[in-house]
Amino acid sequence: MSRTALLNIDTQQSFHHREYWQEKGFAEFQQAMLGLIEGCESRGVPVVDIFHVDDTGPFSLESGFVEPMSFLRHQPAVVFQKHVHNAFTDTGLDHWLRERDINHLIICGLRTEQCCETTARVASDLGYAVTFVSEATLTFPMTYKGITLDTDDLRHRTETVLDGRFAEIKTVAETLESL
């Protein structure tokens, strides 16, 4: 049994219904995500789907959008719902991983600098080795104090703050080669 798991974070239909949704980078994200999932599955690495759930809006269960994005076809080993930015708080994920003696996590999904990065930081603090596959993450431009960071800026910022501290940054190919 593999001691590695792939965490697919928030790759859910809810995002298509947010005002900031854009198609830029989505095709590349899909291709990277599908390659990563297929490669992990073929190596016996369990895929864990994590979905963000809110009380109202497109992330509420009542909306019907808390479902995998339509391009995803895999069968997850397990599914967890989260209500905060990381995949561990009050979800049972840590218990599930430790029961299976999993000590290495590969992270992909939405949004690069929010739920994916926060999960990587918490996972590292909990003692997991973390591989962050930023090409298999997606995000959207953000503006603060009149300065907009585009998706490339946000990805670079996330890689910079995670690398060597909380995670190893790898491509899909590098990740699969290391398994």
Side-chain angles (χ1 to χ4, degrees):
M1 181 164 147
S2 172
R3 297 194 68 203
T4 299
L6 173 62
L7 301 186
N8 172 24
I9 300 171
D10 298 348
T11 310
Q12 62 194 75
Q13 295 174 20
S14 307
F15 281 101
H16 293 293
H17 304 277
R18 296 299 289 227
E19 67 282 353
Y20 51 75
W21 175 260
Q22 64 178 22
E23 292 292 320
K24 182 181 180 227
F26 187 58
E28 296 83 0
F29 163 71
Q30 285 182 73
Q31 182 178 1
M33 176 80 92
L34 290 172
L36 182 61
I37 290 172
E38 181 181 301
C40 283
E41 287 181 322
S42 72
R43 289 164 174 82
V45 174
V47 179
V48 177
D49 282 357
I50 312 288
F51 294 114
H52 189 91
V53 176
D54 285 335
D55 292 335
T56 60
F59 287 84
S60 70
L61 294 174
E62 293 76 25
S63 73
F65 302 132
V66 181
E67 296 290 334
M69 287 188 171
S70 62
F71 72 90
L72 294 173
R73 300 282 186 244
H74 67 282
Q75 182 63 43
V78 66
V79 175
F80 292 98
Q81 294 178 352
K82 65 181 186 59
H83 301 278
V84 296
H85 290 100
N86 79 81
F88 288 95
T89 301
D90 297 328
T91 63
L93 174 62
D94 187 49
H95 178 74
W96 187 88
L97 295 167
R98 292 190 192 281
E99 272 188 335
R100 286 151 184 80
D101 198 29
I102 292 171
N103 63 3
H104 173 233
L105 303 177
I106 302 167
I107 295 181
C108 64
L110 275 92
R111 295 181 61 177
T112 307
E113 79 294 343
Q114 290 184 35
C115 296
C116 295
E117 179 182 327
T118 304
T119 297
R121 288 172 179 260
V122 172
S124 176
D125 284 351
L126 290 172
Y128 293 96
V130 178
T131 299
F132 195 88
V133 186
S134 58
E135 72 178 323
T137 68
L138 183 70
T139 196
F140 312 97
M142 295 177 73
T143 302
Y144 177 68
K145 292 188 176 183
I147 299 172
T148 299
L149 298 180
D150 66 22
T151 56
D152 291 335
D153 293 335
L154 288 166
R155 179 173 284 117
H156 179 75
R157 179 225 153 266
T158 295
E159 291 173 345
T160 300
V161 299
L162 290 180
D163 188 50
R165 295 170 191 85
F166 300 98
E168 278 189 273
I169 310 302
K170 292 186 179 180
T171 64
V172 169
E174 290 167 340
T175 301
L176 296 176
E177 287 170 15
S178 70
L179 295 176

